[in-house]
Every structure is written in structure tokens, then in C-alpha cells.
Amino acid sequence: KELLLEEYRPEIVNLKKKLDEMGDLFDIPSKEEKIGELEHLMGSPDFWDDPAKASATSKEVDALKSEVEELFLYTSDAADEAR
């Protein structure tokens, strides 16, 4: 028997809802705000005066962006499947 995507819609919608809840669990808006704050600091003319601190800040921004992007990709894929 050939299964249609429509048969899976409720399950896909439920998974999307769970992923959205995970976004809340991982506090994505807070991470995005932190990225903005750190990027603002990185724009300061004296940012690289302390190379060790600047490097750590840059790595933190990269890690936060990766986390946010990964979750965004998962939720986007789930939303596409639900359509």
C-alpha cells in the first residue's frame, strides 16, 4: 500500500511542535541576543587590544551561531515536511 504524505501530517506537525519547544528549551532568543551583544563588542576599535579575550569572544560567537543555525535548520526541515 502506498502511503501518502497526508497520512503523516499529524505526526510531522507534532514533531514540529516538539522542535519548537526545544527551541524554547535551548533559549534561542537569548542566544541570538548574546550574539548581537558580542558582535557589537567585536566592532569596537580596541577589540583586538587583548588578543586572547578577542579570540575567546570570537569563538563564543561562532559556537552560538552554530547552535542557533543547527536548530533553525531542523525546525525549518520539519516545517517544510508539515506542508
Coordinates of all heavy atoms in Angstrom, one line a residue:
K1 N 0.9 -1.2 0.0 CA 0.0 0.0 0.0 C 0.9 1.2 0.0 O 1.8 1.4 0.8 CB -0.9 0.0 1.2 CG -1.7 1.2 1.4 CD -2.6 1.1 2.7 CE -3.3 2.4 2.9 NZ -4.0 2.4 4.1
E2 N 0.6 2.2 -0.9 CA 1.4 3.4 -1.0 C 0.9 4.4 0.1 O -0.3 4.7 0.1 CB 1.3 4.0 -2.4 CG 2.1 5.2 -2.6 CD 2.1 5.7 -4.0 OE1 2.1 4.8 -4.9 OE2 2.0 6.9 -4.2
L3 N 1.8 4.9 0.9 CA 1.4 5.9 1.9 C 1.5 7.3 1.3 O 2.5 7.6 0.7 CB 2.2 5.7 3.1 CG 2.1 4.4 3.8 CD1 3.0 4.3 5.0 CD2 0.7 4.2 4.3
L4 N 0.6 8.1 1.7 CA 0.6 9.5 1.2 C 1.2 10.4 2.3 O 1.0 10.1 3.5 CB -0.8 9.9 0.8 CG -1.4 9.2 -0.3 CD1 -2.9 9.6 -0.5 CD2 -0.6 9.3 -1.6
L5 N 1.8 11.5 1.9 CA 2.3 12.4 2.9 C 1.2 12.9 3.9 O 1.5 13.1 5.1 CB 2.9 13.6 2.2 CG 3.6 14.7 3.0 CD1 4.7 14.1 3.9 CD2 4.1 15.8 2.2
E6 N 0.0 13.0 3.4 CA -1.1 13.5 4.2 C -1.3 12.6 5.4 O -1.7 13.0 6.5 CB -2.4 13.6 3.4 CG -2.4 14.8 2.5 CD -2.3 16.1 3.2 OE1 -2.9 16.3 4.3 OE2 -1.5 17.0 2.7
E7 N -1.0 11.3 5.2 CA -1.2 10.4 6.4 C -0.2 10.7 7.5 O -0.5 10.3 8.6 CB -1.0 8.9 5.9 CG -2.1 8.5 4.9 CD -1.8 7.1 4.4 OE1 -1.4 6.2 5.1 OE2 -2.1 6.9 3.2
Y8 N 0.9 11.2 7.1 CA 1.9 11.5 8.1 C 1.8 13.0 8.7 O 2.6 13.3 9.6 CB 3.3 11.3 7.5 CG 3.7 9.9 7.3 CD1 3.7 9.4 6.0 CD2 4.0 9.0 8.4 CE1 4.0 8.1 5.8 CE2 4.3 7.7 8.1 CZ 4.3 7.2 6.8 OH 4.6 5.9 6.6
R9 N 1.0 13.8 8.1 CA 0.9 15.2 8.5 C 0.7 15.3 10.0 O 1.5 16.1 10.6 CB -0.2 15.9 7.8 CG -0.3 17.4 8.1 CD -1.4 18.1 7.3 NE -1.1 18.1 5.9 CZ -0.2 19.0 5.3 NH1 0.4 19.9 6.1 NH2 0.0 18.9 4.0
P10 N -0.2 14.6 10.7 CA -0.3 14.9 12.2 C 1.0 14.6 12.9 O 1.4 15.3 13.8 CB -1.4 13.9 12.6 CG -2.2 13.6 11.3 CD -1.2 13.7 10.2
E11 N 1.7 13.5 12.5 CA 2.9 13.2 13.2 C 4.0 14.3 12.9 O 4.8 14.7 13.8 CB 3.4 11.8 12.7 CG 4.7 11.4 13.4 CD 5.1 10.0 13.0 OE1 4.3 9.3 12.4 OE2 6.2 9.6 13.3
I12 N 4.1 14.7 11.7 CA 5.0 15.8 11.3 C 4.7 17.1 12.1 O 5.6 17.7 12.6 CB 5.0 16.0 9.8 CG1 5.6 14.8 9.1 CG2 5.8 17.3 9.4 CD1 5.4 14.8 7.6
V13 N 3.5 17.4 12.1 CA 3.1 18.6 12.9 C 3.5 18.5 14.4 O 4.0 19.4 15.0 CB 1.6 18.9 12.7 CG1 1.1 20.0 13.7 CG2 1.3 19.3 11.3
N14 N 3.2 17.3 14.9 CA 3.6 17.1 16.3 C 5.1 17.2 16.5 O 5.6 17.8 17.5 CB 3.1 15.7 16.7 CG 3.3 15.4 18.2 OD1 3.1 16.3 19.0 ND2 3.8 14.2 18.5
L15 N 5.9 16.7 15.6 CA 7.4 16.8 15.7 C 7.8 18.2 15.6 O 8.7 18.7 16.3 CB 8.0 15.9 14.6 CG 7.9 14.4 14.8 CD1 8.4 13.7 13.5 CD2 8.7 14.0 16.0
K16 N 7.2 19.0 14.7 CA 7.5 20.4 14.5 C 7.2 21.1 15.8 O 8.0 22.0 16.3 CB 6.7 21.0 13.4 CG 6.6 22.5 13.4 CD 7.8 23.2 12.8 CE 7.7 24.6 12.5 NZ 7.9 25.5 13.6
K17 N 6.1 20.8 16.5 CA 5.8 21.4 17.8 C 6.8 21.1 18.8 O 7.2 22.0 19.6 CB 4.4 20.9 18.2 CG 3.8 21.6 19.4 CD 2.4 21.0 19.7 CE 1.7 21.7 20.8 NZ 0.4 21.1 21.1
K18 N 7.3 19.9 18.8 CA 8.3 19.5 19.8 C 9.6 20.2 19.5 O 10.3 20.6 20.5 CB 8.5 17.9 19.7 CG 7.4 17.2 20.4 CD 7.6 15.7 20.3 CE 6.5 14.9 21.0 NZ 6.7 13.5 21.0
L19 N 9.9 20.3 18.3 CA 11.2 21.1 17.9 C 11.1 22.5 18.3 O 12.0 23.1 18.8 CB 11.5 21.0 16.4 CG 12.0 19.6 16.0 CD1 12.0 19.5 14.4 CD2 13.4 19.4 16.5
D20 N 9.9 23.1 18.2 CA 9.7 24.5 18.6 C 9.9 24.6 20.1 O 10.5 25.5 20.6 CB 8.3 25.0 18.2 CG 8.2 25.3 16.7 OD1 9.2 25.4 16.0 OD2 7.0 25.4 16.3
E21 N 9.3 23.6 20.8 CA 9.5 23.6 22.3 C 11.0 23.4 22.7 O 11.4 24.0 23.6 CB 8.7 22.5 22.9 CG 7.2 22.7 22.8 CD 6.3 21.5 23.2 OE1 6.9 20.4 23.5 OE2 5.1 21.6 23.1
M22 N 11.7 22.6 21.9 CA 13.1 22.5 22.1 C 13.8 23.8 21.9 O 14.8 24.2 22.7 CB 13.7 21.5 21.2 CG 13.4 20.0 21.5 SD 14.0 18.8 20.4 CE 15.8 19.2 20.4
G23 N 13.4 24.6 21.0 CA 13.9 25.9 20.8 C 13.8 26.8 22.0 O 14.7 27.5 22.4
D24 N 12.6 26.7 22.6 CA 12.4 27.4 23.9 C 13.3 26.8 25.0 O 13.8 27.6 25.8 CB 10.9 27.3 24.3 CG 10.0 28.0 23.4 OD1 10.5 28.9 22.6 OD2 8.8 27.7 23.4
L25 N 13.4 25.5 25.0 CA 14.3 24.9 26.0 C 15.7 25.4 25.9 O 16.4 25.6 26.9 CB 14.2 23.4 25.8 CG 15.1 22.5 26.7 CD1 14.7 22.6 28.2 CD2 15.1 21.1 26.2
F26 N 16.2 25.5 24.7 CA 17.6 25.9 24.5 C 17.7 27.4 24.4 O 18.8 28.0 24.2 CB 18.1 25.3 23.2 CG 18.2 23.8 23.2 CD1 17.6 23.0 22.3 CD2 19.0 23.2 24.2 CE1 17.7 21.7 22.3 CE2 19.1 21.8 24.3 CZ 18.4 21.0 23.3
D27 N 16.6 28.1 24.6 CA 16.6 29.6 24.8 C 17.3 30.3 23.6 O 18.2 31.1 23.8 CB 17.2 30.0 26.1 CG 16.7 31.4 26.5 OD1 15.9 32.0 25.8 OD2 17.2 32.0 27.5
I28 N 16.8 30.0 22.4 CA 17.4 30.5 21.2 C 17.3 32.0 21.1 O 18.3 32.7 20.8 CB 16.7 29.9 19.9 CG1 16.9 28.4 19.9 CG2 17.2 30.6 18.6 CD1 18.4 27.9 19.9
P29 N 16.2 32.7 21.5 CA 16.2 34.1 21.5 C 17.3 34.8 22.4 O 17.9 35.8 22.0 CB 14.8 34.5 22.0 CG 13.9 33.3 21.7 CD 14.9 32.1 21.9
S30 N 17.5 34.1 23.5 CA 18.6 34.6 24.4 C 20.0 34.5 23.7 O 20.8 35.4 23.8 CB 18.6 33.8 25.7 OG 18.8 34.6 26.8
K31 N 20.2 33.4 23.0 CA 21.4 33.2 22.3 C 21.6 34.2 21.2 O 22.7 34.7 21.0 CB 21.5 31.8 21.8 CG 21.7 30.7 22.9 CD 21.8 29.3 22.4 CE 21.9 28.4 23.6 NZ 22.4 27.1 23.3
E32 N 20.5 34.5 20.5 CA 20.6 35.4 19.4 C 20.9 36.8 19.9 O 21.7 37.6 19.3 CB 19.3 35.5 18.6 CG 19.1 34.2 17.8 CD 17.7 34.1 17.1 OE1 16.7 34.6 17.7 OE2 17.7 33.6 16.0
E33 N 20.3 37.1 21.1 CA 20.6 38.4 21.7 C 22.1 38.5 22.1 O 22.8 39.5 21.9 CB 19.7 38.6 23.0 CG 19.9 40.0 23.6 CD 18.9 40.1 24.8 OE1 17.9 39.5 24.8 OE2 19.3 40.9 25.7
K34 N 22.6 37.4 22.7 CA 24.0 37.4 23.1 C 24.9 37.5 21.9 O 25.9 38.2 22.0 CB 24.3 36.0 23.8 CG 25.7 35.9 24.3 CD 26.0 36.8 25.5 CE 27.3 36.5 26.1 NZ 27.7 37.3 27.2
I35 N 24.6 36.9 20.8 CA 25.4 37.0 19.6 C 25.4 38.5 19.2 O 26.5 39.0 18.9 CB 24.8 36.2 18.4 CG1 25.0 34.7 18.7 CG2 25.4 36.6 17.1 CD1 24.2 33.8 17.8
G36 N 24.3 39.2 19.2 CA 24.3 40.6 18.9 C 25.1 41.4 19.8 O 25.9 42.3 19.3
E37 N 25.1 41.2 21.1 CA 25.9 41.9 22.0 C 27.4 41.7 21.8 O 28.2 42.6 21.8 CB 25.6 41.5 23.5 CG 24.2 41.9 23.9 CD 23.8 41.2 25.2 OE1 24.6 40.5 25.8 OE2 22.6 41.5 25.7
L38 N 27.8 40.4 21.6 CA 29.2 40.1 21.3 C 29.7 40.7 20.0 O 30.8 41.2 19.9 CB 29.4 38.6 21.4 CG 29.2 38.0 22.7 CD1 29.3 36.5 22.6 CD2 30.2 38.5 23.8
E39 N 28.8 40.7 19.0 CA 29.2 41.2 17.7 C 29.4 42.7 17.8 O 30.3 43.3 17.1 CB 28.2 40.9 16.6 CG 28.3 39.4 16.2 CD 27.3 39.0 15.1 OE1 26.3 39.6 15.0 OE2 27.7 38.1 14.3
H40 N 28.6 43.4 18.6 CA 28.7 44.8 18.9 C 30.1 45.1 19.5 O 30.8 46.0 19.1 CB 27.6 45.3 19.7 CG 27.7 46.8 20.0 ND1 27.4 47.7 19.1 CD2 28.0 47.4 21.2 CE1 27.6 48.9 19.6 NE2 28.0 48.8 20.9
L41 N 30.4 44.3 20.5 CA 31.8 44.4 21.1 C 32.9 44.2 20.1 O 33.9 44.9 20.2 CB 31.9 43.4 22.3 CG 31.1 43.7 23.5 CD1 31.3 42.5 24.5 CD2 31.6 45.0 24.2
M42 N 32.7 43.2 19.2 CA 33.7 42.9 18.3 C 33.9 44.1 17.3 O 35.0 44.2 16.7 CB 33.3 41.6 17.5 CG 33.4 40.4 18.4 SD 32.7 38.9 17.6 CE 34.0 38.6 16.3
G43 N 33.0 44.9 17.2 CA 33.1 46.1 16.3 C 33.8 47.3 16.9 O 34.1 48.3 16.2
S44 N 34.2 47.1 18.2 CA 34.9 48.2 18.9 C 36.3 48.3 18.3 O 37.0 47.3 18.1 CB 35.0 48.0 20.4 OG 33.7 47.9 20.9
P45 N 36.8 49.5 18.2 CA 38.2 49.7 17.6 C 39.3 49.0 18.5 O 40.3 48.6 18.0 CB 38.4 51.2 17.6 CG 37.0 51.8 17.8 CD 36.2 50.8 18.4
D46 N 39.0 48.9 19.8 CA 40.0 48.3 20.7 C 39.8 46.8 21.0 O 40.4 46.3 21.9 CB 40.1 49.1 22.0 CG 38.7 49.1 22.8 OD1 37.7 48.7 22.2 OD2 38.7 49.5 23.9
F47 N 38.9 46.2 20.2 CA 38.5 44.8 20.5 C 39.7 43.9 20.5 O 39.9 43.0 21.3 CB 37.5 44.4 19.4 CG 37.1 42.9 19.5 CD1 36.3 42.5 20.6 CD2 37.6 42.0 18.6 CE1 36.0 41.2 20.7 CE2 37.3 40.6 18.8 CZ 36.5 40.2 19.8
W48 N 40.7 44.1 19.5 CA 41.8 43.2 19.4 C 43.0 43.6 20.3 O 44.1 43.0 20.2 CB 42.2 43.1 18.0 CG 41.3 42.2 17.2 CD1 40.3 42.6 16.4 CD2 41.1 40.8 17.3 NE1 39.6 41.6 15.9 CE2 40.1 40.4 16.4 CE3 41.8 39.8 17.9 CZ2 39.7 39.1 16.2 CZ3 41.4 38.5 17.8 CH2 40.4 38.1 16.9
D49 N 42.8 44.6 21.2 CA 43.9 45.0 22.1 C 44.3 43.9 23.0 O 45.4 43.8 23.5 CB 43.5 46.3 22.9 CG 43.4 47.5 22.1 OD1 43.9 47.5 20.9 OD2 43.0 48.6 22.6
D50 N 43.3 43.0 23.4 CA 43.5 41.8 24.2 C 43.3 40.6 23.3 O 42.1 40.2 23.2 CB 42.6 41.9 25.4 CG 42.9 40.7 26.3 OD1 43.6 39.7 25.9 OD2 42.4 40.7 27.5
P51 N 44.3 40.1 22.6 CA 44.1 39.1 21.6 C 43.5 37.8 22.2 O 42.6 37.2 21.5 CB 45.5 38.8 21.0 CG 46.3 40.0 21.3 CD 45.7 40.6 22.6
A52 N 43.8 37.4 23.4 CA 43.3 36.2 24.0 C 41.8 36.3 24.2 O 41.0 35.5 23.9 CB 44.0 35.9 25.2
K53 N 41.4 37.5 24.8 CA 40.0 37.7 25.1 C 39.2 37.9 23.7 O 38.1 37.3 23.6 CB 39.8 39.0 25.9 CG 38.4 39.3 26.3 CD 38.3 40.5 27.2 CE 36.9 40.8 27.6 NZ 36.8 42.0 28.4
A54 N 39.8 38.5 22.8 CA 39.1 38.7 21.5 C 38.9 37.4 20.8 O 37.8 37.1 20.2 CB 39.9 39.6 20.6
S55 N 39.9 36.5 20.9 CA 39.8 35.2 20.3 C 38.7 34.4 21.0 O 37.9 33.7 20.3 CB 41.1 34.5 20.3 OG 41.1 33.2 19.8
A56 N 38.7 34.4 22.3 CA 37.7 33.7 23.0 C 36.3 34.2 22.7 O 35.3 33.4 22.5 CB 37.9 33.8 24.5
T57 N 36.1 35.5 22.6 CA 34.8 36.1 22.2 C 34.4 35.6 20.8 O 33.2 35.3 20.6 CB 34.9 37.6 22.3 OG1 35.2 38.0 23.7 CG2 33.6 38.3 21.9
S58 N 35.3 35.7 19.9 CA 35.1 35.3 18.5 C 34.6 33.8 18.5 O 33.7 33.4 17.8 CB 36.3 35.5 17.7 OG 36.1 35.1 16.4
K59 N 35.3 32.9 19.2 CA 34.9 31.5 19.3 C 33.5 31.3 19.9 O 32.8 30.5 19.5 CB 36.0 30.7 20.0 CG 37.3 30.6 19.3 CD 38.3 29.8 20.1 CE 39.6 29.7 19.3 NZ 40.7 29.1 20.1
E60 N 33.2 32.1 20.9 CA 31.9 32.1 21.6 C 30.8 32.4 20.6 O 29.8 31.8 20.5 CB 31.9 33.0 22.8 CG 30.6 32.9 23.5 CD 30.5 33.7 24.8 OE1 31.5 34.4 25.1 OE2 29.4 33.7 25.4
V61 N 31.0 33.5 19.8 CA 30.1 33.9 18.8 C 29.9 32.8 17.8 O 28.7 32.5 17.4 CB 30.5 35.2 18.1 CG1 29.7 35.5 16.9 CG2 30.4 36.4 19.1
D62 N 31.0 32.2 17.3 CA 30.9 31.1 16.3 C 30.1 30.0 16.9 O 29.3 29.4 16.2 CB 32.3 30.7 15.9 CG 33.0 31.7 15.0 OD1 32.3 32.6 14.5 OD2 34.2 31.6 14.9
A63 N 30.3 29.6 18.1 CA 29.6 28.4 18.7 C 28.1 28.7 18.9 O 27.3 27.9 18.6 CB 30.3 28.1 20.1
L64 N 27.8 29.9 19.3 CA 26.4 30.3 19.5 C 25.7 30.3 18.1 O 24.6 29.8 18.0 CB 26.3 31.7 20.1 CG 26.6 31.7 21.6 CD1 26.8 33.2 22.1 CD2 25.5 31.0 22.4
K65 N 26.4 30.8 17.1 CA 25.8 30.9 15.8 C 25.5 29.5 15.2 O 24.5 29.2 14.6 CB 26.7 31.6 14.8 CG 26.6 33.1 14.9 CD 27.5 33.8 13.9 CE 27.3 35.3 14.0 NZ 28.1 36.0 12.9
S66 N 26.5 28.6 15.5 CA 26.3 27.2 15.1 C 25.1 26.5 15.7 O 24.3 25.8 15.1 CB 27.6 26.4 15.4 OG 28.6 26.8 14.5
E67 N 25.0 26.7 17.0 CA 23.9 26.2 17.8 C 22.5 26.7 17.2 O 21.6 25.9 17.0 CB 23.9 26.5 19.3 CG 25.1 25.8 20.0 CD 25.1 26.3 21.4 OE1 24.1 26.6 22.0 OE2 26.3 26.4 21.9
V68 N 22.4 28.0 17.0 CA 21.2 28.6 16.6 C 20.9 28.1 15.1 O 19.8 27.7 14.8 CB 21.3 30.1 16.6 CG1 20.1 30.8 15.9 CG2 21.3 30.6 18.1
E69 N 21.9 28.1 14.3 CA 21.7 27.7 12.9 C 21.3 26.2 12.8 O 20.4 25.9 12.0 CB 23.0 27.9 12.1 CG 22.8 27.5 10.6 CD 24.1 27.8 9.9 OE1 24.9 28.7 10.2 OE2 24.3 27.0 8.9
E70 N 21.9 25.3 13.6 CA 21.5 23.9 13.6 C 20.1 23.7 14.0 O 19.3 23.0 13.3 CB 22.4 23.1 14.5 CG 22.2 21.7 14.4 CD 23.3 20.9 15.2 OE1 24.3 21.5 15.6 OE2 23.0 19.7 15.5
L71 N 19.6 24.3 15.0 CA 18.2 24.2 15.5 C 17.3 24.8 14.4 O 16.3 24.2 14.1 CB 18.0 24.8 16.8 CG 16.6 24.6 17.4 CD1 16.3 23.1 17.5 CD2 16.5 25.2 18.8
F72 N 17.7 25.9 13.9 CA 16.9 26.6 12.8 C 16.7 25.6 11.6 O 15.6 25.5 11.1 CB 17.5 27.9 12.4 CG 16.7 28.5 11.2 CD1 15.6 29.2 11.5 CD2 17.2 28.5 9.9 CE1 14.9 29.8 10.4 CE2 16.5 29.0 8.9 CZ 15.3 29.7 9.1
L73 N 17.8 25.0 11.2 CA 17.7 24.0 10.1 C 16.8 22.9 10.4 O 16.0 22.5 9.6 CB 19.1 23.5 9.7 CG 20.0 24.5 9.1 CD1 21.4 23.9 8.9 CD2 19.5 25.0 7.7
Y74 N 16.8 22.3 11.6 CA 16.0 21.2 12.0 C 14.5 21.6 12.0 O 13.6 20.9 11.5 CB 16.3 20.7 13.4 CG 17.6 19.9 13.4 CD1 18.5 20.1 14.4 CD2 17.9 18.9 12.4 CE1 19.7 19.3 14.5 CE2 19.0 18.2 12.5 CZ 19.9 18.4 13.5 OH 21.1 17.6 13.5
T75 N 14.2 22.8 12.6 CA 12.8 23.3 12.6 C 12.3 23.6 11.2 O 11.2 23.4 10.9 CB 12.6 24.4 13.6 OG1 13.5 25.5 13.2 CG2 12.9 24.0 15.0
S76 N 13.2 24.2 10.4 CA 12.8 24.5 9.0 C 12.5 23.3 8.2 O 11.5 23.2 7.5 CB 13.9 25.3 8.3 OG 14.1 26.5 8.9
D77 N 13.3 22.2 8.4 CA 13.0 21.0 7.7 C 11.7 20.4 8.1 O 10.9 19.9 7.3 CB 14.1 20.0 7.9 CG 15.4 20.3 7.2 OD1 15.4 21.2 6.3 OD2 16.5 19.7 7.5
A78 N 11.4 20.4 9.4 CA 10.2 19.9 10.0 C 9.0 20.7 9.4 O 8.0 20.1 9.1 CB 10.2 19.9 11.5
A79 N 9.1 22.0 9.4 CA 8.0 22.8 8.9 C 7.8 22.5 7.4 O 6.6 22.4 7.0 CB 8.4 24.3 9.1
D80 N 8.8 22.3 6.6 CA 8.7 22.0 5.2 C 8.0 20.7 5.0 O 7.1 20.5 4.2 CB 10.1 21.9 4.5 CG 10.7 23.3 4.4 OD1 10.0 24.3 4.5 OD2 11.9 23.4 4.1
E81 N 8.3 19.7 5.9 CA 7.7 18.4 5.8 C 6.2 18.5 6.2 O 5.4 17.7 5.7 CB 8.4 17.4 6.7 CG 9.8 17.0 6.2 CD 9.7 16.3 4.9 OE1 8.8 15.4 4.7 OE2 10.6 16.5 4.0
A82 N 5.9 19.4 7.0 CA 4.5 19.5 7.5 C 3.6 20.1 6.4 O 2.3 20.0 6.5 CB 4.4 20.3 8.8
R83 N 4.2 20.8 5.5 CA 3.4 21.4 4.4 C 2.9 20.5 3.4 O 3.2 19.5 3.0 CB 4.2 22.5 3.8 CG 4.4 23.7 4.7 CD 5.0 24.8 4.0 NE 5.5 25.7 5.1 CZ 6.7 26.2 5.2 NH1 7.6 26.0 4.3 NH2 7.0 27.0 6.2

